[in-house]
């Protein structure tokens, strides 16, 4: 089980069931989670403690759905504790209100009834962004100038491979061309998407991220294109979809390789016509979005296997940005390691820590199949557990990824079902020399299912 983060979370909602459900979920991930049914207690609570993230309902007065109360309390929180990030809780059909709240300073919103993973990601992102905004000092470019918030300065690297990425971002950001970002899990595709937006002429408009892998097929059209009141059972009000919310701004479609063929056709139609039609209506609504897509899946191989539409691929990849895995830019590892060292030594109040040269060498020799994200988590764990001020090689318990450790004989020692499945996938890929079609057939899986499981396990 993951160690809860040392974060303070406050949930404000007039529904006790909502508070209980959210608290039970977040308590597993954050050390202190408090709740209240009344926003009028905010001042008293703020006097007793500080909060990293506040989850705030949009409406409190019964029968009122204007969102004015939520906006008013959001402004109050932003004035009293400007370093606290606020995630708005909205009812189904209040996305327009949530967008208004984001313009007033909210960091994100979740729609109830929510998906637990989406709620957790929204709170974790708000928590991490607060931490990064407090500690981040590295520019997206290799300069000594401290970046503004718009620079989205979390992309770090001095290697030739990363300099090429930075140069491509500079060239492409100021245009409106569609961009496809390719790269393994943990390479920072979402950061590049944000950088493209913040360096574009649309920077003052909305940047809307959609995790396509997390949207059920039954909700795909409603989420992306919106719906009319009464279009289906839970459609209690009109709702704008993500395309409409992002109009005049940037729409970031993450995990686009996970979209099924029928939904790919609907997506292609929208991109070609440049308008959407809300579910339950026949009226087209013009949209003007700058489209950025990302995936870790082999789209060109999927096109050959007829699992991804070639015409859709050509529509989204006017320019491609390929992010190198960390193992191919190992010269950046010391820079990244010192960045995370500074970040987490401050967070966990262990200032003055350093990394021994032998440790940096060990980190540079490790393959980092989880890329920058894996390195980040490794530094955080090492700093938490360290009893000395200089991190030594034995402070990092790194697992070997060599083929000798992927043999099927080790399965008898594993009782966790997910670990067994992960090992079976690794063995099948190794057995067939990386041929995913043959590996999928041996496992009794479809190629798309295999890709999704590889994404899940970071393979």
């Amino acid at each position: 089980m993951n160690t809860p983060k040392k974060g303070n979370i406050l949930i404000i909602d007039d529904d006790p069931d909502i508070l209980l459900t959210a608290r039970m979920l977040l308590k597993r991930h954050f050390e202190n989670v408090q709740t209240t049914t009344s926003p009028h207690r905010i001042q008293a609570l703020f006097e007793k403690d500080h909060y990293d993230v506040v989850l705030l309902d949009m409406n409190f007065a019964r029968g009122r759905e204007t969102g004015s109360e939520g906006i008013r309390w959001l402004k109050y929180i932003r004035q009293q504790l400007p370093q606290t990030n606020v995630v708005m809780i909205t009812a189904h059909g209040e996305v327009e209100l949530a967008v208004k709240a984001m313009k007033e300073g909210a960091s994100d919103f979740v729609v109830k009834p929510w998906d637990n993973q989406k709620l957790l990601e929204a709170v974790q992102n708000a928590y991490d962004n607060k931490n990064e905004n407090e500690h981040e000092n590295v520019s997206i470019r290799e300069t000594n100038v401290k970046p503004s918030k718009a620079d989205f300065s979390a992309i770090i690297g001095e290697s030739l491979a990363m300099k090429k990425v930075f140069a491509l971002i500079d060239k492409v950001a100021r245009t409106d061309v569609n961009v496809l970002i390719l790269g393994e899990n943990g390479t920072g595709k979402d950061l590049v998407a944000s950088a493209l937006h913040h360096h574009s002429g649309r920077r003052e408009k909305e940047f809307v991220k959609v995790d396509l892998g997390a949207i059920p097929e039954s909700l795909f059209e409603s989420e992306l294109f919106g719906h009319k009141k009464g279009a289906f059972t839970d459609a209690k009000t009109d709702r704008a979809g993500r395309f409409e919310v992002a109009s005049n701004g940037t729409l970031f479609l993450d995990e686009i390789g996970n979209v099924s063929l029928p939904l790919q056709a609907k997506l292609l139609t929208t991109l070609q016509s440049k308008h959407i039609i809300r579910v339950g209506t026949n009226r087209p609504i013009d949209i003007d979005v700058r489209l950025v897509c990302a995936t870790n899946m082999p789209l060109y191989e999927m096109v050959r296997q007829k699992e991804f539409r070639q015409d859709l691929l050509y529509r989204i990849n006017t320019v491609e940005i390929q992010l190198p895995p960390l193992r191919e830019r190992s010269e950046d590892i010391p820079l990244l390691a010192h960045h995370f060292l500074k970040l987490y030594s401050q967070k966990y109040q262990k200032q003055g820590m350093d990394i021994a040269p032998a440790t940096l060498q060990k980190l540079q020799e490790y393959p980092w199949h989880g890329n920058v994200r894996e390195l980040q988590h490794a530094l955080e764990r090492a700093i938490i557990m360290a009893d000395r001020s200089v991190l030594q090689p034995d402070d990092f318990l790194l697992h070997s990824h060599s083929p000798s450790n992927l043999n099927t004989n080790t399965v008898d020692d594993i009782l966790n079902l997910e670990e067994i499945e992960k090992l079976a996938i690794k063995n099948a890929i190794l057995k067939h020399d990386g041929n995913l079609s043959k590996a999928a057939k041996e496992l009794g899986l479809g190629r798309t299912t295999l890709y999704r499981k590889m994404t899940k396990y970071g393979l």
Side-chain angles (χ1 to χ4, degrees):
M1 183 175 179
N2 293 332
T3 303
K5 296 181 179 180
K6 294 183 178 180
N8 288 349
I9 312 297
L10 175 62
I11 313 169
I12 310 171
D13 196 294
D14 58 354
D15 187 335
D17 291 336
I18 291 287
L19 295 179
L20 178 61
T21 302
R23 186 177 187 277
M24 289 178 64
L25 172 67
L26 297 176
K27 189 65 178 174
R28 298 197 296 267
H29 301 273
F30 297 92
E31 286 191 346
N32 183 27
V33 180
Q34 297 188 40
T35 65
T36 179
T37 57
S38 173
H40 296 283
R41 292 196 60 218
I42 290 177
Q43 182 175 356
L45 290 168
F46 280 4
E47 290 175 354
K48 292 182 180 179
D49 208 343
H50 77 279
Y51 296 94
D52 300 294
V53 180
V54 173
L55 268 167
L56 176 66
D57 194 16
M58 290 292 293
N59 296 294
F60 291 91
R62 187 173 298 276
R64 184 178 298 175
E65 296 182 355
T66 64
S68 59
E69 286 182 291
I71 297 294
R72 177 164 64 88
W73 287 111
L74 167 64
K75 290 179 178 178
Y76 177 81
I77 293 171
R78 299 298 296 161
Q79 290 172 355
Q80 297 296 314
L81 284 179
Q83 298 302 317
T84 297
N85 279 341
V86 181
V87 176
M88 305 304 293
I89 304 173
T90 76
H92 199 73
E94 294 179 349
V95 174
E96 290 91 341
L97 295 177
V99 172
K100 180 180 179 182
M102 292 181 72
K103 291 179 179 178
E104 295 290 346
S107 64
D108 204 346
F109 66 91
V110 292
V111 179
K112 56 183 177 181
W114 59 66
D115 175 84
N116 283 346
Q117 186 60 34
K118 287 185 178 180
L119 173 66
L120 180 58
E121 287 179 357
V123 176
Q124 286 181 330
N125 287 339
Y127 176 84
D128 292 340
N129 287 342
K130 173 184 182 295
N131 202 45
E132 287 175 2
N133 287 340
E134 288 177 352
H135 301 299
E136 183 68 81
N137 288 314
V138 182
S139 173
I140 186 173
R141 292 173 158 191
E142 274 56 46
T143 68
N144 294 321
V145 179
K146 185 176 180 179
S148 65
K149 184 178 180 181
D151 280 325
F152 207 86
S153 56
I155 308 175
I156 299 171
E158 294 180 344
S159 62
L160 178 60
M162 288 308 297
K163 287 180 179 178
K164 290 179 179 179
V165 170
F166 296 143
L168 196 51
I169 291 174
D170 276 341
K171 287 182 179 179
V172 175
R174 295 173 178 84
T175 73
D176 267 350
V177 300
N178 294 337
V179 179
L180 175 62
I181 307 170
L182 301 172
E184 298 177 4
N185 282 338
T187 51
K189 296 185 290 295
D190 55 337
L191 303 185
V192 172
S194 294
L196 287 168
H197 173 73
H198 288 300
H199 286 78
S200 75
R202 298 172 180 254
R203 67 177 66 88
E204 301 300 325
K205 304 297 182 179
E206 298 298 327
F207 174 77
V208 178
K209 176 182 176 180
V210 185
D211 183 355
L212 295 176
I215 299 178
E217 289 203 14
S218 59
L219 296 178
F220 183 89
E221 290 183 79
S222 173
E223 286 287 333
L224 265 66
F225 311 137
H227 62 250
K228 181 179 175 59
K229 179 180 178 180
F232 49 88
T233 303
D234 292 328
K236 298 178 180 179
T237 61
D238 290 352
R239 180 189 179 190
R242 305 299 180 92
F243 269 94
E244 199 172 339
V245 173
S247 195
N248 298 315
T250 302
L251 180 64
F252 174 39
L253 300 181
D254 199 9
E255 302 296 348
I256 195 168
N258 288 313
V259 179
S260 67
L261 284 170
L263 297 181
Q264 289 176 32
K266 295 180 184 294
L267 186 57
L268 177 63
T269 299
T270 297
L271 297 179
Q272 289 174 333
S273 65
K274 295 187 178 180
H275 69 249
I276 57 96
I277 298 176
R278 292 188 182 185
V279 178
T281 74
N282 292 315
R283 184 174 66 88
I285 300 173
D286 292 335
I287 48 104
D288 173 21
V289 299
R290 198 275 179 82
L291 186 69
V292 179
C293 299
T295 184
N296 68 332
M297 296 171 72
L299 290 189
Y300 290 95
E301 174 65 20
M302 292 174 69
V303 167
R304 286 191 288 272
Q305 296 291 329
K306 300 189 183 305
E307 294 176 344
F308 198 86
R309 294 180 65 109
Q310 187 175 50
D311 46 4
L312 178 58
L313 177 58
Y314 289 155
R315 177 68 60 172
I316 65 177
N317 75 337
T318 306
V319 174
E320 288 183 14
I321 297 179
Q322 179 76 51
L323 295 186
L326 186 56
R327 61 185 173 276
E328 293 181 7
R329 58 180 185 108
S330 59
E331 61 267 44
D332 287 332
I333 289 177
L335 180 67
L336 287 160
H338 280 104
H339 165 72
F340 293 129
L341 177 75
K342 180 179 179 182
L343 186 70
Y344 291 116
S345 61
Q346 291 179 356
K347 176 179 178 179
Y348 297 112
Q349 299 180 354
K350 291 188 173 183
Q351 287 85 352
M353 296 192 71
D354 202 352
I355 307 177
T359 306
L360 289 175
Q361 182 176 349
K362 176 180 179 178
L363 298 182
Q364 286 184 283
E365 293 171 352
Y366 186 69
W368 299 111
H369 290 286
N371 294 294
V372 178
R373 188 181 299 131
E374 184 184 3
L375 175 64
Q376 177 180 356
H377 293 164
L379 261 296
E380 184 176 16
R381 285 194 299 269
I383 290 167
I384 291 172
M385 302 302 295
D387 295 321
R388 47 200 171 191
S389 61
V390 179
L391 295 179
Q392 300 296 329
D394 59 4
D395 287 318
F396 292 83
L397 303 177
L398 304 179
H399 302 288
S400 173
H401 288 76
S402 63
S404 62
N405 285 332
L406 299 179
N407 64 77
T408 53
N409 293 333
T410 59
V411 74
D412 293 333
D413 299 324
I414 301 175
L415 298 179
N416 183 280
L417 291 176
E418 288 194 347
E419 288 297 321
I420 292 174
E421 183 177 60
K422 179 179 178 180
L423 182 62
I425 292 172
K426 283 183 176 180
N427 285 327
I429 294 171
L430 182 65
K431 176 180 177 180
H432 295 288
D433 297 321
N435 187 314
L436 298 185
S437 295
K438 292 182 179 180
K441 185 176 181 180
E442 169 124 347
L443 293 165
L445 302 174
R447 284 177 57 87
T448 302
T449 302
L450 176 58
Y451 292 145
R452 288 174 180 166
K453 289 184 180 292
M454 290 173 65
T455 299
K456 175 182 177 181
Y457 296 125
L459 300 176

